């Protein structure tokens, strides 16, 4: 059974750095073709892809947010960490992590974590 | 503004067939598989279709997908009240080296 779970702060202040952890089970990030990505969804708005990391440590970032994002993995802990710098109230959103198959996110998503950016 | 374009809303009555469109470009839909997701309020998206028209185990055959050129569509036949949800299309975009999503379509079952 594949599971993913996001964890991190529920609230950060403007200009702070957000660090989110995705802890997963049921698959391995050492398996060829496997990736884990982060997606966010502001309240009432659409899904937005943020970052991806693959089994071979290749990484991809949304061009719009590339300068603020870093994605890393710890295969020994089955975790993927996303950091986003210089947080702003417009970054208030539910942040999801999901397993990526190479051509799309499959049916394995975390439940999401709501992050509010407010002073 | 989302890279893939979907109508913001769609509606139908129980039993009807509804089609939701998704328009992109040669760098995304035109050259990659399309995925469709269903999202209920307060929950994570659920995979509805992958690789244009493939249904994961458990998704009824009332849901079907197609792709032509730089556009794709999701068809829901025999509409049911529980189909009321937000639907998103997605595809890899080669120019962005990552996935892109549509803006979502809110389906209302009248």
């Amino acid at each position: 059974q594949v599971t993913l779970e996001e964890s991190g702060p529920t609230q950060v202040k403007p200009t702070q750095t957000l660090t989110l952890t995705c802890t997963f089970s049921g698959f391995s990030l050492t398996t060829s073709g496997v990736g884990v990505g982060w997606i966010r969804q502001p309240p009432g708005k659409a899904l937005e892809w943020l970052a991806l990391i693959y089994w071979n440590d290749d990484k991809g970032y949304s061009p719009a947010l590339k300068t603020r994002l870093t994605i890393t993995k710890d295969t020994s802990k089955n975790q993927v960490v996303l950091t986003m710098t210089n947080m702003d109230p417009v970054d208030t959103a539910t942040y999801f992590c999901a397993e990526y198959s190479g051509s799309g996110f499959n049916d394995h998503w975390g439940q999401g974590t709501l992050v509010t950016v407010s002073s | 503004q989302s890279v893939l374009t979907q109508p913001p809303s769609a509606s139908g009555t129980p039993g009807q067939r509804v089609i939701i469109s998704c328009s992109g470009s040669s760098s995304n839909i035109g050259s990659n598989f399309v995925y469709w997701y269903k999202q209920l309020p307060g929950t994570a998206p659920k995979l509805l279709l992958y690789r244009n028209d493939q249904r994961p185990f458990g998704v009824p055959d009332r849901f079907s997908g197609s792709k032509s050129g730089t556009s794709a569509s999701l068809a829901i036949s025999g509409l049911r009240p529980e189909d009321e949800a937000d639907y998103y299309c997605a595809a890899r975009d080669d120019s962005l080296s990552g996935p892109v999503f549509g803006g979502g379509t809110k389906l209302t079952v009248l």
Side-chain angles (χ1 to χ4, degrees):
Chain A
Q1 180 188 3
V2 174
T3 65
L4 300 97
E5 183 174 7
E6 306 87 353
S7 59
T10 57
Q11 184 166 332
V12 296
K13 291 179 168 42
T15 75
Q16 285 187 334
T17 294
L18 172 69
T19 299
L20 294 173
T21 300
C22 176
T23 303
F24 57 89
S25 64
F27 67 95
S28 174
L29 247 185
T30 61
T31 301
S32 178
V34 173
V36 171
W38 286 93
I39 307 99
R40 72 178 179 180
Q41 185 173 38
K45 296 189 177 180
L47 300 167
E48 178 186 19
W49 168 65
L50 300 177
L52 273 172
I53 190 164
Y54 295 92
W55 85 103
N56 59 0
D57 212 38
D58 277 354
K59 300 165 188 177
Y61 297 100
S62 165
L65 296 165
K66 184 174 183 176
T67 60
R68 298 173 53 203
L69 296 173
T70 303
I71 189 169
T72 60
K73 63 180 173 66
D74 184 333
T75 53
S76 66
K77 294 182 180 179
N78 279 354
Q79 290 182 332
V80 171
V81 176
L82 180 76
T83 61
M84 180 180 292
T85 61
N86 195 24
M87 294 292 285
D88 183 272
V90 300
D91 297 313
T92 293
T94 296
Y95 287 75
F96 299 96
C97 63
E99 185 186 2
Y100 190 75
S101 68
S103 59
F105 290 106
N106 61 24
D107 205 21
H108 303 136
W109 292 60
Q111 81 280 5
T113 184
L114 175 61
V115 178
T116 302
V117 184
S118 173
S119 55
Chain B
Q1 189 143 353
S2 302
V3 175
L4 304 181
T5 302
Q6 297 180 236
S9 64
S11 64
T13 56
Q16 272 191 330
R17 183 172 186 255
V18 170
I19 296 177
I20 297 172
S21 62
C22 176
S23 177
S25 68
S26 58
S27 64
N28 42 65
I29 293 178
S31 51
N32 292 290
F33 292 119
V34 177
Y35 286 63
W36 288 92
Y37 303 89
K38 173 184 177 180
Q39 187 179 33
L40 295 171
T43 68
K46 174 182 168 57
L47 183 66
L48 212 53
L49 296 170
Y50 65 100
R51 295 196 172 193
N52 304 332
D53 57 7
Q54 301 299 299
R55 285 185 303 276
F57 179 78
V59 173
D61 59 7
R62 301 188 297 108
F63 295 90
S64 62
S66 64
K67 186 182 102 167
S68 178
T70 59
S71 294
S73 61
L74 166 68
I76 308 172
S77 59
L79 204 59
R80 296 183 178 185
E82 57 263 36
D83 296 333
E84 189 162 289
D86 294 326
Y87 292 83
Y88 291 91
C89 60
R92 174 182 166 79
D93 192 300
D94 292 335
S95 64
L96 302 179
S97 297
V100 289
F101 289 94
T105 298
K106 183 176 184 60
L107 175 63
T108 301
V109 181
L110 302 169

